[in-house]
Amino acid sequence: MGDVDRRAFLAWLGTGVLGATASLALPGKAEAAGEITVLTHATLIDGTDAPPLRDATIVLAGDRIAAVGRGVPAPALAGVRVVDLSGKFVIPGLWDTHTHYTELARTFPPMHLVNGVTSVRDMDGRPATHEVRRRIERGELTGPRLVIASEILDGGNSFVDVHRLVATPDEAAVAVRDAKAVGADLVKVYSFMSPEIHAAIAAESRRHGLRYGGHVPIQLPVQDVLARGQHSVEHMFAFHASTSTRKDEYYARLAQLPDTTYDWPSALGQIDREAVATHSAALTRELAGRFRAHRAWHVPTLAVLARTSSPPADLPKDPVLQGLADRYLPRSVRQEWLDYASAWPVWPPERIAQEAAYFEAVLELVGELAAAGAPLAAGTDSGFLYTFPGFATHDELALLVRAGLSPKRALQVATRDAARCAGRASSGTVTVGADADLVVLDADPLAAITNSRRIHAVVSRGSYLGPVERQQIFADIERAAQEETTAPALRSSCCLPG
């Protein structure tokens, strides 16, 4: 691309229905190679409540969307790239608000991006994670925009040894201050902390202007963490116990557990499944109201729960899952997943039936929360047990629809709403001034949400990655997977009951 004649380009913008508002988003210089891209003749699903826009024209200037209009003739200007997307569908770039392992720089970040996930929130920030973000922003690595949580904070008696353990309120306050100092965007809390430690993290996070989110500590119902100001609540653990007519009884039982924490996940897992029988739709609607009142977000991570609702030992036997692992995962991660899955005993038929029924109950509960207006954001827990970065976001979309959301609503949960959850208001819609992150699809995702997988091109920071570029990225990932030999310790999850 040659230099762009800014005056001629602005004149073109002003001649059509794009209008003068387009120039407001245009950068002061439009000279860089490839900086101006015009997408034409697409059907636009913009992530807002607007209906699809047929024959849409989308103007990208640098890493921003400069204009959006309908039926505008493409410019014949040097230095402007015009891409005809007749028959294609454009949606905002997707988000994964709960992912891990982005420090595996040559595999996990590009795997997100090539699957249309242009932004992620890594929920276990480490020094290497911050370095990967810097390298992506400098253009040295291929990957999504990154929002990074603190290292995972957990109680002093936690049996999970890869997290930062905080045994006292003072230690909790220091941990929050350390997160602020290293540039974490939010504080991540885990499951095995006392209510007192959780309260100290909440207070110190407010003091430093940091959001905090993550798991529900096992001895607290969801209502309590919302009242304390937790910005996002991840996973489905505790949601049935918290919406049961026997909630008070269940949490009284949990409060009596010995202070070893080892039995906590098993106890709450059993209670959550028991609570399905006394689940209250009215209490779920009330909980949705609390999410709205506290401006908090629920990130259900159905994709990982779908994996753990089937016998873990069977996962490596799935030819599709194992095929993806063999092609795109570093050997160390493949081995960790295999070892973890193989360590589980064979589930008897009654356990398989129980977990399948529980998963269906979880989907129903998510649907109730969504119908009652609870703010939802898409996240997958990718990096854990055959939950693949990028690919899992499309699993999440399908599961949200299975839970009762419309395809349009599910897309909003994975775009506009996920961006709001992550604190990135400029992301998640195809509107003037928004980030130039888009996905071009070969088929209509509103007709069938599975069409989100039919990716033709990805636009990241204004850079158009068409079929050839995407194929090259996949090949690069596959090559890197054979070369990377080390990986961080496997993250534990609360998704598997004892």
Side-chain angles (χ1 to χ4, degrees):
M1 297 284 179
D3 291 348
V4 177
D5 183 333
R6 176 179 171 81
R7 180 173 296 180
F9 186 70
L10 288 174
W12 170 77
L13 287 176
T15 59
V17 294
L18 296 171
T21 56
S23 64
L24 300 178
L26 196 66
K29 290 182 66 178
E31 300 170 352
E35 189 175 359
I36 302 295
T37 303
V38 180
L39 310 178
T40 64
H41 305 306
T43 296
L44 172 62
I45 302 162
D46 68 6
T48 74
D49 292 323
L53 182 67
R54 312 292 177 185
D55 195 20
T57 298
I58 305 161
V59 181
L60 312 177
D63 66 352
R64 295 290 175 184
I65 297 170
V68 179
R70 184 171 185 267
V72 182
L77 297 172
V80 175
R81 179 180 186 182
V82 178
V83 183
D84 186 338
L85 295 179
S86 297
K88 308 299 183 186
F89 296 79
V90 172
I91 63 173
L94 298 168
W95 271 83
D96 187 339
T97 64
H98 192 119
T99 188
H100 298 288
Y101 276 160
T102 51
E103 59 265 49
L104 291 175
R106 297 174 58 206
T107 49
F108 276 52
M111 213 182 311
H112 282 294
L113 190 64
V114 78
N115 279 287
V117 180
T118 56
S119 300
V120 304
R121 192 175 62 152
D122 190 304
M123 293 300 284
D124 184 8
R126 304 181 182 204
T129 317
H130 288 270
E131 178 58 22
V132 166
R133 175 163 66 180
R134 287 188 289 268
R135 293 183 65 193
I136 290 173
E137 291 175 348
R138 291 195 300 261
E140 298 171 3
L141 291 173
T142 298
R145 300 180 196 261
L146 265 170
V147 173
I148 303 176
S150 69
E151 59 187 326
I152 297 175
L153 307 185
D154 207 1
N157 291 324
S158 175
F159 65 90
V160 182
D161 60 6
V162 299
H163 305 159
R164 177 166 177 171
L165 306 184
V166 289
T168 67
D170 286 344
E171 289 183 5
V174 170
V176 171
R177 293 196 294 271
D178 288 348
K180 178 79 169 181
V182 299
D185 299 302
L186 72 154
V187 173
K188 166 72 181 288
V189 295
Y190 206 66
S191 302
F192 310 114
M193 61 176 59
S194 68
E196 292 75 22
I197 296 297
H198 184 269
I201 290 172
E204 194 69 15
S205 296
R206 283 194 300 272
R207 191 171 296 118
H208 291 277
L210 279 175
R211 294 173 170 179
Y212 77 102
H215 292 214
V216 179
I218 283 175
Q219 292 188 323
L220 290 172
V222 177
Q223 291 88 340
D224 284 15
V225 301
L226 294 176
R228 292 172 178 211
Q230 186 161 319
H231 178 72
S232 65
V233 180
E234 322 287 312
H235 311 309
M236 293 303 301
F237 225 44
F239 273 78
H240 274 96
S242 297
T243 56
S244 167
T245 56
R246 297 172 60 188
K247 174 173 76 75
D248 293 344
E249 172 193 336
Y250 288 142
Y251 279 94
R253 281 166 53 183
L254 289 168
Q256 299 305 310
L257 288 175
D259 194 24
T260 61
T261 75
Y262 188 79
D263 293 327
W264 287 6
S266 177
L268 183 54
Q270 293 169 7
I271 283 175
D272 233 21
R273 285 152 180 76
E274 180 183 330
V276 170
T278 55
H279 169 68
S280 166
L283 290 176
T284 303
R285 290 192 295 273
E286 180 186 38
L287 182 60
R290 289 176 184 253
F291 271 99
R292 292 195 308 272
H294 292 289
R295 299 182 180 179
W297 295 86
H298 179 213
V299 183
T301 65
L302 296 171
V304 73
L305 187 58
R307 292 284 180 267
T308 58
S309 292
S310 59
D314 288 350
L315 292 173
K317 303 172 187 176
D318 185 310
V320 174
L321 296 179
Q322 195 55 48
L324 287 173
D326 289 341
R327 289 187 69 181
Y328 299 125
L329 294 184
R331 185 181 305 108
S332 57
V333 179
R334 294 200 304 270
Q335 192 61 49
E336 280 187 332
W337 285 8
L338 178 62
D339 291 346
Y340 194 93
S342 302
W344 281 79
V346 175
W347 283 5
E350 57 271 20
R351 175 69 183 272
I352 295 173
Q354 179 194 42
E355 294 305 319
Y358 175 67
F359 184 64
E360 291 301 321
V362 164
L363 292 176
E364 183 177 353
L365 195 157
V366 170
E368 290 176 357
L369 285 169
L376 302 182
T380 67
D381 209 4
S382 65
F384 180 76
L385 199 60
Y386 296 90
T387 308
F388 295 87
F391 295 96
T393 298
H394 300 280
D395 297 336
E396 191 76 16
L397 284 168
L399 290 166
L400 288 168
V401 171
R402 186 173 156 191
L405 281 69
S406 69
K408 180 177 181 178
R409 183 76 191 94
L411 285 172
Q412 289 174 330
V413 168
T415 55
R416 178 194 66 185
D417 297 349
R420 291 174 178 175
C421 171
R424 295 295 186 265
S426 64
S427 178
T429 63
V430 185
T431 55
V432 173
D435 294 339
D437 297 334
L438 314 169
V439 186
V440 182
L441 303 174
D442 284 323
D444 185 359
L446 301 186
I449 195 61
T450 51
N451 287 335
S452 72
R453 302 177 189 272
R454 297 183 60 182
I455 298 173
H456 176 77
V458 176
V459 179
S460 174
R461 296 175 173 84
S463 178
Y464 188 89
L465 306 173
V468 173
E469 292 87 355
R470 289 185 66 244
Q471 189 57 45
Q472 183 59 56
I473 293 171
F474 273 119
D476 291 344
I477 296 168
E478 193 166 354
R479 182 169 55 254
Q482 307 311 311
E483 296 172 355
E484 286 188 317
T485 57
T486 60
L490 182 68
R491 276 69 166 173
S492 295
S493 173
C494 280
C495 297
L496 287 172

